[in-house]
Amino acid sequence: LSPGAKMGCFTFIKVMMILFNLAIFLGGGTLLGVGIWVSLDGDSFLDIFGALSSSVLQVVNVSYFLIVIGAILLVIGFLGCCGAQKESKCLLMMFFSVVLIIFIAEVAAAVVALVYTGLAETLLTAVVTPLLKEKYGMDENFSHIWNVTMSEVHCCGLNNYTDFTDSPWYKEEGTYPGPCLVRGLLPFACPHLCDCLPQGCFDQILKEIKTNAGVVGGVAAGIAALEIAAMAVSMYLYCQLDQK
């Protein structure tokens, strides 16, 4: 290519890099804002986006998840946008390094999720079950999130209904949460003796993920492709700056 064509290609890729990372920056800011909103007013968020409660995000504190993801996207968007705009080799290398670390972490998490599903269940049980026994019936937001989740997913607790034994709700009401009870519901013909749903939310969510494995895999592959493309573009700009 002639020097003019190379310069034109460099300028085009630079502009695309800036626009792409500006979108990431704005998206990160939005997620961060939503995460702060959820942490401050979780009830109104669930009232508006109740359908999302069937996702795995409702098993953990969705506000912390959104805040962490939003902050990471803000950092990535800032480094990529400013690095391309200012033609800074330092910022471009930092952008490449952050995306590479995230990519490696995602691959490692995917391998662990595929190979060590039982370990994931054990870790979740060790973290979530004590929270259910400690906070369900006492923390209004926490209880509301779990009520909506169990109603949408048709499950009870993380593992089963015994997760609520000795919880503040059980001690006060002498029974298990309403969404767990199946009296009069025909779809569940063989409940436990306590008339509670036999299936825990972890198994139900895992079943949903396996049912939609193609969609989940497609989304994961798309994200991985974008990350690889972002790293390739940042390295292209980095190398071209040496020749300018």
Side-chain angles (χ1 to χ4, degrees), residues 25-165:
F25 183 83
L26 294 175
T30 301
L31 288 179
L32 183 62
V34 171
I36 295 173
W37 170 31
V38 174
S39 66
L40 297 177
D41 190 11
D43 285 341
S44 63
F45 177 83
L46 284 173
D47 289 339
I48 296 174
F49 299 102
L52 295 180
S53 61
S54 60
S55 69
V56 69
L57 299 181
Q58 293 297 337
V59 176
V60 294
N61 195 318
V62 70
S63 61
Y64 294 154
F65 180 86
L66 291 176
I67 289 173
V68 170
I69 296 299
I72 291 174
L73 291 178
L74 275 175
V75 172
I76 292 175
F78 174 80
L79 291 175
C81 191
C82 290
Q85 173 63 32
K86 297 181 178 298
E87 297 185 0
S88 169
K89 295 178 66 176
C90 178
L91 290 178
L92 287 173
M93 181 55 68
M94 289 176 65
F95 172 84
F96 176 87
S97 300
V98 171
V99 176
L100 178 61
I101 291 172
I102 293 174
F103 179 78
I104 294 173
E106 288 172 348
V107 172
V111 171
V112 170
L114 291 173
V115 179
Y116 300 106
T117 304
L119 177 61
E121 182 177 8
T122 301
L123 292 175
L124 277 175
T125 300
V127 173
V128 177
T129 302
L131 288 177
L132 289 173
K133 294 183 181 297
E134 175 186 347
K135 300 175 66 175
Y136 187 87
M138 183 173 62
D139 187 314
E140 185 176 346
N141 286 338
F142 182 83
S143 302
H144 183 58
I145 288 174
W146 270 94
N147 285 338
V148 176
T149 300
M150 292 187 294
S151 297
E152 293 286 340
V153 187
H154 301 297
C155 58
C156 182
L158 182 68
N159 297 297
N160 53 54
Y161 67 93
T162 60
D163 291 342
F164 295 103
T165 303

Side-chain angles (χ1 to χ4, degrees), residues 136-137 161 164-177:
Y136 187 87
Y161 67 93
F164 295 103
T165 303
D166 297 328
S167 66
W169 171 274
Y170 187 84
K171 290 178 180 178
E172 181 177 343
E173 301 293 334
T175 185
Y176 294 96

Side-chain angles (χ1 to χ4, degrees), residues 9-24:
C9 181
F10 175 84
T11 302
F12 174 77
I13 293 178
K14 173 184 171 181
V15 171
M16 289 298 100
M17 179 81 167
I18 292 173
L19 293 177
F20 178 73
N21 283 280
L22 180 61
I24 291 178

